[in-house]
Amino acid sequence: MVEPSTPAPPREPAATAPPRPVFDRRRAWLITALIVAFMLINYADKSVLGLAAVPIMDELGISNSTYGMISSSFALLFSLSGLIVGFVSARVSSRVLLFTMAVVWAVAQLPVLVVASVPALVAGRVLLGAAEGPAASMSMHALYKWFPANLRGLPSALQISGAALGTLFAAPVVTWLITGFGWRSAFLVLAVTSVVWSLVWWRVGHDGPYGEDRAPGADDDASRDRDRDRAPAPRKRLPYRHLLLNGTVLGSVAGAFGASWALALSHAWLPVYLRTQLDLTPGAAAGLISAISGFSLVLLLSVPPLVDRLRRRGRSARWSTGAPQGIAVVLAAVAMATFPFVDGTVPHLVLLALAFGGHAIVFPLHYMTASAVVPPLQRGAVFGVVAATGTLPGLVAPYLTGRLLDSADSAGAGYTHAFLLSAAVMLVCGFLALVAIRPERDARRLGLAVRADGPRADGPRADASRADAPQADGSKPLAQ
């Protein structure tokens, strides 16, 4: 009698690579609009103290050094919180992070409404800085989850343009509130605006499909629903010392440092300089600040889309996204060193615009170059480090400028010394960015494979079979 043969065990299905994410254009641009509004509120919050500086200094009787200390207190926890939240972003969804930040922004405006004093101003600015430290990097991280790498130029520019729009619209509106209803009214309106945005974001701000290879626990409800039907994404990590100490990331930090120095000086002291040294009225000063922001906005909306076009045509990231950062900071530094010595009104204003607005393109581009050498799983953490180190000037520049003003023979001489020092710092940072940013070289050294939705820590071979495959949005993959 022949015994029946034992059936062979079922064969395990072959492991398959996760499918490429589908580009949801409509939802991606909705998220972009919300993040632009997020950044607009962010920069309005930052600029309100500078716009209200003259009436605040007059009412409270504070010196330039004390005002500089209040302004610098904003950056006391700014970099640290950006660093911490960057690492937390691997386990907490962008939806939760941005919602929490916006709520804390509203709370941070309250101390000065209760009691107008130097301690209350410092407390509010410290809390605001802690909540805004991760804002730029985490909102960019959230935005990148909705766009493949070769379509990120314009969304990145729009995200950063929220800064220019924040100043462009905030300067006249906040100035109108200050002159018409008192400087406290501006703080109250910004608090209410933050609450309204947070409620809208909580309803629609889910995470996107790009870079979903996060650690367990990071997904929101929408992300978990999508993952049920998808193979798990690779979770290989690279040592952070390799990611943070390569030339591209260091050069990106240098570019951001130089641009942030000018930005910190602009927020804290440019309105005061225009009022006290150029004898402009509050409305005229606000109009000039808006014009400078408009110039920044033009650069932001024109340069990054050109970068996208160059990348799709196979141009190297070094020359399409790296070199413009260094060049922008160097040109802004030259203008910063020149305008104090120019007498003509028109040349003076042109150089002012270039010094305080020409560096704007650095902020979207330095995230693009940093992301080119970082796997998506670790991108939020690296963005946090880049933001934390690149924005340190906010802790130094305002207070140092106040000290220079109080120690100089005249306010004019103090401003000249401050502008020359700023130009020297920016010049060094610009040249470092120009020399050090080389994304292709550093990606090869780290063994990263470049794909349209970002680098992967799989090594180049992992993507070789898909090198010529079209993307979900119909575009061709990046040239490697």
Side-chain angles (χ1 to χ4, degrees), residues 22-35:
V22 175
F23 179 44
D24 185 345
R25 187 179 302 273
R26 179 176 298 181
R27 188 62 178 269
W29 288 109
L30 172 61
I31 295 296
T32 302
L34 285 172
I35 287 178

Side-chain angles (χ1 to χ4, degrees), residues 175-388:
T175 300
W176 172 72
L177 289 170
I178 292 169
T179 55
F181 305 95
W183 58 268
R184 293 169 182 80
S185 65
F187 288 80
L188 177 61
V189 169
L190 289 174
V192 173
T193 305
S194 296
V195 171
V196 172
W197 184 92
S198 66
L199 295 176
V200 176
W201 174 258
W202 184 253
R203 181 170 181 82
V204 300
H206 297 285
D207 287 1
Y210 294 94
E212 283 195 4
D213 48 339
R214 299 193 304 268
D219 300 316
D220 57 18
D221 295 338
S223 303
R224 284 193 293 269
D225 290 342
R226 286 192 300 268
D227 285 345
R228 292 192 185 101
D229 300 323
R230 291 181 54 181
R235 301 191 186 279
K236 182 179 179 181
R237 292 173 175 263
L238 296 177
Y240 278 106
R241 66 180 182 277
H242 294 162
L243 296 177
L244 297 174
L245 296 180
N246 68 75
T248 294
V249 170
L250 293 176
S252 300
V253 169
F257 192 95
S260 294
W261 191 285
L263 189 63
L265 202 63
S266 173
H267 285 154
W269 287 105
L270 182 58
V272 184
Y273 173 78
L274 297 177
R275 292 281 307 277
T276 61
Q277 299 303 301
L278 299 188
D279 295 324
L280 299 182
T281 64
L288 182 54
I289 292 171
S290 293
I292 294 173
S293 298
F295 171 62
S296 299
L297 184 61
V298 170
L299 292 178
L300 287 168
L301 296 180
S302 57
V303 174
L306 175 61
V307 167
D308 270 350
R309 193 174 302 114
L310 291 174
R311 293 190 68 189
R312 288 196 293 269
R313 292 180 179 178
R315 299 295 188 271
S316 71
R318 180 190 181 189
W319 295 111
S320 62
T321 58
Q325 296 178 55
I327 293 171
V329 175
V330 168
L331 291 178
V334 172
M336 184 80 73
T338 304
F339 79 77
F341 305 101
V342 174
D343 293 328
T345 302
V346 173
H348 193 87
L349 296 180
V350 170
L351 290 171
L352 266 174
L354 185 58
F356 291 106
H359 58 78
I361 63 170
V362 172
F363 295 110
L365 295 184
H366 91 285
Y367 284 117
M368 293 176 69
T369 49
S371 70
V373 294
V374 178
L377 178 62
Q378 296 170 278
R379 186 173 58 212
V382 173
F383 276 9
V385 174
V386 170

